[in-house]
Amino acid sequence: MEEKISQIQTEYLEQIQQAQSLKELDEIFLGLFGKKGQLDLLPKEFGKLSIEERKKVGPLFNSAKQNLEQAIERKRGEVRGESYKKLANEKLDLSDTKLITRKGHLHPVTRLENGVVTLFKKLGFTQYGAPHIDSEEYNFELLNIPQGHPARDLWDTLYIDPHNLKVSPGELLLRTHTSNAQVRLMKEFKPPIRMMIIDRCFRYENVDARHEHTLDQFEIVYIDKGVSMANLQYLSEYFFQGILGKDIKARLRPKYYPFVEPGAGVDGLCIFCKGKGCKVCGGIGWLELAGAGMIHPQVLRNGGIDPNVYSGIAWGAGPERMAMLKFGIENIRSFKSGDLKILEKF
Ligand code: PHE
């Protein structure tokens, strides 16, 4: 037994001496002291020895155990020191590395909208905000579209489930147009009023290349003494030329909206064929870009404004439709799809 102990000790001390890494030392440690470790198994055999022998073997075993433990610990320190030294001397040369930076840019619709806002600020228009979740009252009723009126069919509406809210079904909705701001801002400000709303609207659409359930609108409300359709014609042309190019004329066509009288569809000269007629404009030479008109006297009254003193114009245009024309994008869904392949082109 004595021989066996000193043999294990010599053999392992040698291994410890030669070890190069902490991993090797761990393995050696387990080989000695692990569950089936060489040293750990020995005491099981002590039972077979005579008392005399045990008296000799015991201290020998203890000192071998201690020696080996200490040797492992010492070597661990050495190995660690070596690797720290190696790290301290290591140099990472980054002088040749090129940093790859990805530069983002504004979304094409945001860019167009920023341009529109700048354009109308120059004429004294201020931005106004109205809620995305609104009441039927502001989105429809105060705009001459009472419940059951057939004109409601002009807007595919998303209603809010009143579950747990203190409202009746059909009372709250996602606003279908920025016109929900009209009566609100009239109640808040006195004429002369020059305001613009450029923001999100929502519709229960059958989504296709030209229709989205979530869309932006650009609305202006201009109320003062003596405002007329001539102002509407002028501002429409100012708008289209500022965004699409100097040679884009505007024309007004009669169109029905319950909250304006007279109402108009505002067309811009087709930017592709300049009026000759092409595939994009369906051979007409003009593209409808906005709905507009003189604000209905009853709507002015709903906003606390006397229609005998003041008159106003309003329009709502689709910035996405204009961005499609300006940047030659065929599918309106490209804008909100988050598809970087498309967005990175701009
Ligand atoms: N709100 C109308 C729409 O969403 C557009 C419009 C705005 C028409 C202002 C007239 C006046 O279609």
Side-chain angles (χ1 to χ4, degrees):
M1 182 57 70
E2 285 159 72
E3 220 170 275
K4 203 170 178 185
I5 294 176
S6 55
Q7 194 194 328
I8 291 176
Q9 175 162 303
T10 329
E11 194 185 306
Y12 274 87
L13 281 176
E14 181 120 346
Q15 280 190 32
I16 294 168
Q17 213 38 52
Q18 278 164 13
Q20 306 269 357
S21 66
L22 291 175
K23 196 174 162 235
E24 274 175 68
L25 288 167
D26 285 344
E27 276 160 16
I28 294 171
F29 183 88
L30 285 177
L32 285 166
F33 306 111
K35 252 193 188 158
K36 285 189 179 149
Q38 296 260 24
L39 269 191
D40 228 43
L41 290 177
L42 280 186
K44 283 189 186 141
E45 294 174 32
F46 290 177
K48 290 181 226 154
L49 303 173
S50 66
I51 297 185
E52 281 301 296
E53 270 177 315
R54 257 190 257 168
K55 272 190 185 155
K56 271 198 239 150
V57 166
L60 202 62
F61 173 79
N62 285 337
S63 90
K65 196 176 163 190
Q66 213 179 15
N67 284 345
L68 287 164
E69 273 173 355
Q70 281 170 358
I72 290 178
E73 216 29 64
R74 219 179 303 118
K75 188 72 186 181
R76 274 192 179 134
E78 266 173 46
V79 171
R80 261 191 224 116
E82 289 288 313
S83 57
Y84 287 146
K85 248 189 255 157
K86 241 195 249 161
L87 273 183
N89 292 330
E90 209 171 70
K91 281 203 185 88
L92 197 57
D93 184 6
L94 293 176
S95 56
D96 233 16
T97 314
K98 286 193 185 63
L99 285 181
I100 302 162
T101 47
R102 264 172 62 121
K103 222 170 161 191
H105 60 73
L106 290 177
H107 191 281
V109 176
T110 309
R111 236 162 67 198
L112 185 130
E113 289 180 349
N114 289 348
V116 173
V117 168
T118 311
L119 205 62
F120 279 81
K121 266 190 188 159
K122 285 187 195 155
L123 297 186
F125 283 79
T126 330
Q127 263 183 287
Y128 184 82
H132 291 178
I133 297 177
D134 205 359
S135 59
E136 290 208 281
E137 194 189 1
Y138 280 102
N139 196 79
F140 288 135
E141 278 162 24
L142 292 169
L143 298 174
N144 288 342
I145 319 166
Q147 235 176 40
H149 192 290
R152 287 222 181 180
D153 292 347
L154 296 175
W155 290 273
D156 308 294
T157 314
L158 291 156
Y159 288 92
I160 305 278
D161 182 349
H163 179 68
N164 276 345
L165 297 172
K166 288 193 183 103
V167 294
S168 351
E171 204 174 311
L172 280 187
L173 43 79
L174 294 184
R175 66 153 172 212
T176 57
H177 49 186
T178 41
S179 303
N180 73 328
Q182 287 189 12
V183 173
R184 260 205 185 80
L185 65 86
M186 287 177 210
K187 285 183 177 173
E188 210 172 310
F189 301 97
K190 298 217 168 342
I193 290 172
R194 286 183 198 197
M195 300 234 144
M196 54 178 155
I197 304 102
I198 194 154
D199 205 349
R200 241 162 221 209
C201 307
F202 310 87
R203 296 195 184 170
Y204 179 62
E205 287 285 8
N206 224 341
V207 174
D208 65 22
R210 290 175 61 78
H211 297 87
E212 256 286 26
H213 49 73
T214 302
L215 59 139
D216 281 16
Q217 277 199 341
F218 170 56
E219 179 129 355
I220 62 157
V221 176
Y222 175 27
I223 304 170
D224 204 346
K225 287 177 185 159
V227 171
S228 74
M229 290 294 270
N231 298 96
L232 190 60
Q233 170 71 26
Y234 174 80
L235 286 177
S236 304
E237 217 144 74
Y238 173 80
F239 175 30
F240 298 160
Q241 291 183 357
I243 299 301
L244 298 175
K246 279 272 163 271
D247 46 359
I248 303 302
K249 294 197 167 16
R251 78 169 184 190
L252 302 178
R253 231 171 350 93
K255 191 166 179 191
Y256 173 67
Y257 293 99
F259 38 97
V260 283
E261 179 59 40
V266 191
D267 295 345
L269 198 67
C270 175
I271 66 162
F272 297 104
C273 63
K274 302 279 152 52
K276 286 194 198 85
C278 66
K279 234 171 52 192
V280 180
C281 59
I284 301 167
W286 296 85
L287 290 161
E288 185 175 284
L289 297 177
M294 300 288 303
I295 298 174
H296 196 286
Q298 184 55 44
V299 176
L300 288 174
R301 249 179 255 123
N302 290 346
I305 293 171
D306 184 353
N308 295 317
V309 182
Y310 294 105
S311 55
I313 54 170
W315 86 50
E320 275 119 351
R321 290 266 175 95
M322 290 184 74
M324 284 168 83
L325 289 178
K326 189 174 163 81
F327 302 120
I329 298 169
E330 283 173 11
N331 193 334
I332 197 165
R333 285 171 292 188
S334 308
F335 291 130
K336 292 199 172 69
S337 67
D339 185 347
L340 289 181
K341 270 200 215 106
I342 294 170
L343 296 177
E344 275 172 350
K345 285 191 200 150
F346 304 98

